[in-house]
Amino acid sequence: EIICIWLDINFDASAHLKSFKVCDLGGELRWLLEQIHKEYRINSPVSREIARAYAQAVIGHYMRHCSYMHAKGLDSAEMFDGLKSYIHQNLSSQITPAQLAKMCNISISYLFKLFKQHMGTTPTTYVNTLRIETAQKMLETTQFSISEISKSLGFVDASYFSRIFRAHTGVTPNAYRALQIKDDAP
C-alpha cells in the first residue's frame, strides 16, 4: 500500500529534494496518517488543529529519518553491500526483488538500478547465478539428489531449477554431475 501526502511546510527542504521511503514496521506513520484523514473529514476548526498536530508528528518522523540517514552516512554502495550480504545468507529462502526493495525501503525500480550499477545485472539473475554456482559445488561434492539440491537452494521445484541450471551452464544438473564424475575418473 502506498500513501502519498503533501505537506506545505516552512523549513529549508532543499537538502532533501528527492522523495524518500520510511520503514513503518511499528505502524506509527500509518496511525498518524489515519488520524489526519479522520480529522480532515470532520472539517471543523478544532479538527483542523488536531490534524495539524498529527502532520507535525509526521514531519518529525521525516526529520528523524533524514537525521538517521545522515548520521549513518548511508549511500547506495553501503545499501548494496547489505543486500548482497542478505542474499548470500539467505540463498535457501525465496528471494524476490519486491522483498529486497521492501527490506531496504526503496522502490523496485531503484533496486534494479542499484544492481545494474554495481553488478551489471538484475537482482533475479544475480540470485540465480549464486544459486547455480552453489549447485555446481554441491553436484561436484555431494550425493544429494537434484530435488534435494533444488529445495536447499530455494527453488520452487526441481524442474524450474533444471531449466535455470541449463540456461546458466548449457547442461542439465544430471549431465553436469556426470561430466564431473568422468573428469575425476583415473
Side-chain angles (χ1 to χ4, degrees), residues 94 124-125 128 131-132 146 150 154-168 173:
Q94 291 284 39
T124 305
T125 301
N128 283 338
R131 286 179 171 161
I132 296 307
I146 304 305
S150 164
F155 284 97
V156 177
D157 59 40
S159 165
Y160 178 67
F161 163 67
S162 293
R163 273 198 325 270
I164 298 298
F165 190 94
R166 185 176 189 153
H168 277 76

Side-chain angles (χ1 to χ4, degrees), residues 13-71:
S14 61
H16 309 290
L17 295 175
K18 297 181 179 179
S19 1
F20 66 96
K21 285 180 128 182
V22 177
C23 187
D24 189 30
L25 295 177
E28 296 91 2
L29 279 176
R30 180 182 182 92
W31 184 85
L32 286 167
L33 294 171
E34 287 171 349
Q35 298 311 306
I36 291 170
H37 183 258
K38 205 183 298 184
E39 295 298 332
Y40 176 78
R41 290 180 64 200
I42 295 172
N43 197 23
S44 74
V46 171
S47 64
R48 279 194 295 268
E49 285 302 311
I50 293 170
R52 182 177 176 179
Y54 287 134
Q56 287 174 338
V58 170
I59 293 168
H61 270 272
Y62 166 72
M63 293 168 84
R64 186 178 315 127
H65 171 75
C66 292
S67 170
Y68 171 78
M69 296 299 278
H70 179 71

